[in-house]
Amino acid sequence: MSVSGDLGISPVLLQAISQTLTSSELRSEKKKPDTPQTMEKKPQPNSKVVSHLLQGMNEPVSGLLPLAGSSEGGAELDRDETPMKQEEIDMVDLQERLAAQIASRVTAAAVSGGSPSTSDVSMVNVLTALASQHIKANIKQESTPVSVASQAMAGTSADVVVRASDNGTDDRPQPQIIIYYNNEAGSVPSPANDVIVGELDGDGQNYRVVMHHGDGVGTRVQTVSDQNLPVVGEGMGADAAVGTVMAADSNSSEGIGGVCPVCTDKISGYHYGVFTCESCKGFFKRTVQNKKSFMCHKQGDCEVNVYNRKKCPACRFAKCLTVGMRLEAIRPDRTRGGRSSYDGCSPHGKPRPTPLQRKKRAGASASDGEDQTRAALPGRIEIVNSEDDGKTHRQLVAILNHSSTHGQQVPDGEGQRVPELLTDIMNLEPLLADDDIPQEATMDESLGQQPFYDYLMQLTELRLYKLVRWARNLPQFGAISTDDQILLLQNCWSDLLALGVCWRSINTPAVLNISTTRSVSLDQAEALGFGDVVGRLLNITQNLRRLRVDQYEYVAMKVLLLITPDVKGLKDPGKIREYQEKLSEALMEYTTAHYMQLPSKFGEMLLRLPELARISFIAKETLLTALPPTAQSCGLLVELLKGENAVKD
DNA sequence: ATAGCCTTGAGG
DNA sequence: CCTCAAGGCTAT
């Protein structure tokens, strides 16, 4: 990837980037004096992008911290006067760090007259846009009682019914879900047979979702004390993630006595970086230690609560990761006692042990203050009326569900081993669990170009966010320097998205399934000017089908797209090459063992990867040229596309 | 496999 | 010493 000769960056963007840099340096590098460049560049928050950066990205983070300042100009001063403590810096989420990292490089290059890569610029914007978009969506959702109610019911009731009657069908009487709102937290009555399913704060109002068992059918009645409860509104979605951070950070001192952010059971202590219950602690330990691999039989968005937590270990584990439980906290050597040293090993204010005692953990990832697992951002934009949404696409959803459990049919069955590396990667699939975004109902037939592109762009941004989270949790990826992580992600994001679309279409010949609700045939694509791309994607899909690529192979292919030591500018390509070799060996071992009748399968799979890169390049170009100049709704993603375009020209 | 309880042991 | 977060054990 070459670098654009001139600064192909708009002044607005440059300003935005320096803004990011400035604020993040104030956060994370207090001890060092500001470099002259950044001092000079310190801008006023007067552009749209800057306000994105400030409001969308910084505010939610700082809002959780004791030092929270306003997101306007004064915040800088506040932070200046009151340096953040290390533990608080640790709470800063991955996106912010990534953005700050790139911003720092780009700004330095710009100031010194160098040539920043335009994709660096774009990545900053994408990340910031993602952050702000998700936060906005989240806030909106939390403040709408109707959506809260429908989610709670959709997610909870069926499970309780199964539990209560010990009978798997859906059409028996359900316990009542009661939504209280406009109440102060704690003032809502909670009779003995009620279970507080969730509690939300929004717009100064409190909503409490209570599940009422008239006859006490639940095997267990959970009573929750009247202190601030973390949000446990919905599955492994946005609420849970944000609420958890609140519980762990702003409420950490009263963590004991609260409810587990994974399953809402009673917190027993601080485990693997999060206040959780005993059972989730044990579950996380077993899962990691025994390198278990789970697959969700639904869409990877199962509700996890104290009643149904046993039902879908895949979603439970994904939620563990989402709320911030740390893989590094599981000791590879299984030594007992003592103290841990990973970032976040202590809930509050305790100094971190020195690294020298960590000799046994040389392989562990978090050694360099790269604490980003605590994803503060929501993982999904929930469809408010998700029940209605699938009604016209039930069939497609069914097909997709089938495809998502595709891998289960193949491996293990014959007692053949699955390399640990592959099962580790597989464990993270729930992090990419399928989502959709709200869309206007009339898009099916008369495919207006504009709405379709808007939809596509939004979907892409959503998936990009998840991609970052997924990559961050990949085994050994955390051991790569943050700069290199960013470069790798920049290099492959579109390839990964393209492969994902191919995979989700594996069971629908001639139709490309863009999401759970949207699919495109070749004819439709041609009408939209996407014929070439879709044709090529369908071709890849057909090859995946022909080769009988299973889910383990699919996830390995994805990581192979990511782990490419040839990306320009990598600090440590050696380490990445090593990782790549390990992974390709694991994949080869797996494929040759499981598909002896297809000796060329391994090679053929690898041969698809370059074509994927080609397709994603064409797709980006097509998207860019097809976009009307007024597409501001996703302006920042547009910038990314423009950046890539300039780079590759 | 789960989850509650027990044991360990470095750091304070 | 005590704390508390890690791993271990074991009835279910």
Side-chain angles (χ1 to χ4, degrees):
Chain A
M1 149 185 338
S2 74
V3 178
S4 64
D6 191 70
L7 305 178
I9 315 170
S10 74
V12 168
L13 284 177
L14 199 54
Q15 191 181 39
I17 289 154
S18 3
Q19 177 68 41
T20 313
L21 173 62
T22 309
S23 68
S24 52
E25 284 204 343
L26 286 165
R27 286 165 174 277
S28 56
E29 299 186 25
K30 283 313 299 177
K31 294 156 233 162
K32 301 177 192 167
D34 277 331
T35 57
Q37 302 98 297
T38 56
M39 293 298 280
E40 282 165 20
K41 281 276 161 186
K42 191 178 292 181
Q44 319 82 305
N46 59 355
S47 76
K48 230 168 66 179
V49 183
V50 170
S51 83
H52 259 296
L53 289 171
L54 288 175
Q55 293 170 13
M57 177 160 274
N58 293 340
E59 190 174 316
V61 175
S62 58
L64 301 172
L65 302 175
L67 300 178
S70 112
S71 59
E72 296 306 321
E76 286 174 18
L77 289 175
D78 288 345
R79 295 198 191 105
D80 236 341
E81 287 162 6
T82 329
M84 250 180 211
K85 288 184 291 188
Q86 181 61 46
E87 313 79 62
E88 291 157 352
I89 292 164
D90 288 344
M91 301 306 167
V92 176
D93 61 81
L94 170 63
Q95 271 71 16
E96 187 170 8
R97 283 167 177 262
L98 288 176
Q101 288 272 344
I102 316 169
S104 141
R105 291 210 314 276
V106 172
T107 309
V111 168
S112 67
S115 334
S117 151
T118 48
S119 54
D120 277 359
V121 178
S122 310
M123 196 65 173
V124 175
N125 295 316
V126 170
L127 294 171
T128 50
L130 293 175
S132 63
Q133 189 183 55
H134 283 264
I135 284 147
K136 272 190 233 153
N138 200 39
I139 290 167
K140 214 175 283 171
Q141 181 183 334
E142 287 183 11
S143 59
T144 311
V146 177
S147 77
V148 169
S150 66
Q151 280 177 28
M153 286 200 250
T156 319
S157 53
D159 294 315
V160 173
V161 170
V162 170
R163 177 81 183 198
S165 60
D166 215 21
N167 187 326
T169 48
D170 271 322
D171 45 19
R172 49 208 60 253
Q174 299 181 347
Q176 272 185 294
I177 302 274
I178 305 166
I179 317 289
Y180 299 97
Y181 54 95
N182 286 334
N183 277 293
E184 302 248 321
S187 67
V188 174
S190 301
N193 287 339
D194 286 353
V195 174
I196 297 172
V197 176
E199 205 168 71
L200 306 169
D201 288 328
D203 298 338
Q205 294 186 345
N206 296 291
Y207 305 102
R208 176 173 283 187
V209 184
V210 170
M211 185 160 56
H212 176 68
H213 302 276
D215 52 357
V217 283
T219 55
R220 166 180 193 158
V221 173
Q222 183 188 6
T223 52
V224 182
S225 60
D226 281 339
Q227 48 192 295
N228 289 336
L229 298 172
V231 177
V232 286
E234 198 277 333
M236 45 184 284
D239 303 340
V242 169
T244 300
V245 172
M246 287 173 163
D249 299 347
S250 58
N251 278 351
S252 62
S253 53
E254 53 263 22
I256 308 250
V259 300
C260 171
V262 178
C263 72
T264 76
D265 203 347
K266 186 176 162 242
I267 282 174
S268 74
Y270 191 73
H271 308 298
Y272 311 115
V274 175
F275 283 101
T276 70
C277 68
E278 194 66 24
S279 73
C280 288
K281 166 200 162 192
F283 170 77
F284 189 75
K285 181 184 70 173
R286 287 192 302 274
T287 303
V288 178
Q289 282 184 336
N290 303 331
K291 300 191 177 299
K292 292 189 190 168
S293 171
F294 304 121
M295 277 306 304
C296 177
H297 293 272
K298 298 184 184 171
Q299 294 192 56
D301 58 354
C302 305
E303 166 98 13
V304 180
N305 62 37
V306 67
Y307 296 104
N308 61 18
R309 62 191 178 196
K310 289 185 190 171
K311 281 200 189 140
C312 183
C315 290
R316 189 183 186 184
F317 186 65
K319 197 166 172 189
C320 287
L321 293 172
T322 302
V323 306
M325 294 180 80
R326 310 293 301 258
L327 295 166
E328 328 66 293
I330 302 288
R331 300 175 182 169
D333 54 8
R334 300 199 165 200
T335 50
R336 300 166 72 179
R339 294 293 162 97
S340 300
S341 70
Y342 60 91
D343 290 334
C345 62
S346 188
H348 228 302
K350 289 182 188 157
R352 280 189 273 168
T354 53
L356 45 97
Q357 64 172 149
R358 310 300 312 154
K359 57 174 198 283
K360 288 188 203 163
R361 306 286 169 78
S365 56
S367 58
D368 197 17
E370 293 178 311
D371 172 39
Q372 298 110 343
T373 313
R374 213 178 283 271
L377 295 175
R380 64 192 262 173
I381 297 174
E382 180 62 36
I383 312 165
V384 170
N385 52 352
S386 56
E387 289 305 296
D388 298 345
D389 203 69
K391 64 172 183 274
T392 53
H393 298 275
R394 287 269 179 238
Q395 257 185 318
L396 181 55
V397 170
I399 292 166
L400 288 168
N401 283 344
H402 179 63
S403 126
S404 76
T405 53
H406 186 240
Q408 287 188 313
Q409 310 155 2
V410 186
D412 292 344
E414 301 114 43
Q416 279 158 333
R417 213 177 76 83
V418 178
E420 285 179 6
L421 187 50
L422 296 192
T423 58
D424 287 350
I425 296 168
M426 180 68 84
N427 276 336
L428 298 176
E429 275 305 285
L431 289 178
L432 299 169
D434 204 10
D435 280 318
D436 210 336
I437 52 176
Q439 52 182 302
E440 291 83 51
T442 57
M443 281 173 55
D444 294 54
E445 294 308 313
S446 55
L447 284 158
Q449 234 182 343
Q450 184 52 43
F452 179 70
Y453 282 129
D454 283 347
Y455 172 75
L456 212 55
M457 298 295 273
Q458 287 178 47
L459 192 62
T460 302
E461 290 205 354
L462 173 59
R463 288 184 178 163
L464 261 177
Y465 165 73
K466 296 184 148 200
L467 216 50
V468 174
R469 190 178 57 165
W470 165 80
R472 171 59 197 161
N473 281 287
L474 281 172
Q476 299 178 51
F477 193 72
I480 298 170
S481 76
T482 307
D483 278 349
D484 284 359
Q485 289 185 18
I486 292 163
L487 283 174
L488 294 177
L489 278 166
Q490 282 176 304
N491 179 60
C492 74
W493 64 271
S494 52
D495 310 357
L496 285 170
L497 296 179
L499 180 55
V501 170
C502 292
W503 176 254
R504 72 170 62 244
S505 310
I506 197 163
N507 287 326
T508 57
V511 176
L512 202 64
N513 301 318
I514 292 168
S515 67
T516 51
T517 60
R518 299 281 308 170
S519 55
V520 175
S521 70
L522 192 52
D523 288 345
Q524 289 173 314
E526 269 161 7
L528 287 162
F530 257 64
D532 187 26
V533 169
V534 169
R536 285 164 179 262
L537 287 172
L538 284 172
N539 187 38
I540 294 270
T541 307
Q542 192 197 332
N543 275 301
L544 297 179
R545 201 180 306 121
R546 175 179 63 84
L547 290 168
R548 293 168 54 198
V549 172
D550 70 42
Q551 187 132 10
Y552 284 108
E553 293 162 331
Y554 161 65
V555 299
M557 285 173 80
K558 284 198 296 187
V559 181
L560 283 175
L561 281 171
L562 174 68
I563 306 298
T564 46
D566 305 319
V567 171
K568 191 184 165 196
L570 287 176
K571 279 184 192 161
D572 192 357
K575 187 188 282 176
I576 293 159
R577 187 176 306 280
E578 207 176 291
Y579 188 2
Q580 185 189 46
E581 280 167 10
K582 265 190 218 163
L583 179 58
S584 61
E585 269 172 36
L587 177 58
M588 187 168 70
E589 177 196 330
Y590 174 86
T591 298
T592 51
H594 287 80
Y595 298 92
M596 282 174 290
Q597 74 282 16
L598 297 171
S600 65
K601 184 178 185 183
F602 175 68
E604 288 218 52
M605 285 192 300
L606 295 190
L607 285 174
R608 305 302 143 199
L609 300 182
E611 169 68 1
L612 267 171
R614 233 169 292 144
I615 297 171
S616 75
F617 176 68
I618 299 170
K620 283 182 285 192
E621 276 195 327
T622 313
L623 250 187
L624 187 65
T625 53
L627 277 171
T630 55
Q632 323 107 325
S633 61
C634 304
L636 299 176
L637 180 54
V638 172
E639 287 293 334
L640 174 58
L641 292 167
K642 280 181 186 162
E644 299 245 345
N645 194 49
V647 163
K648 296 194 179 180
D649 267 349

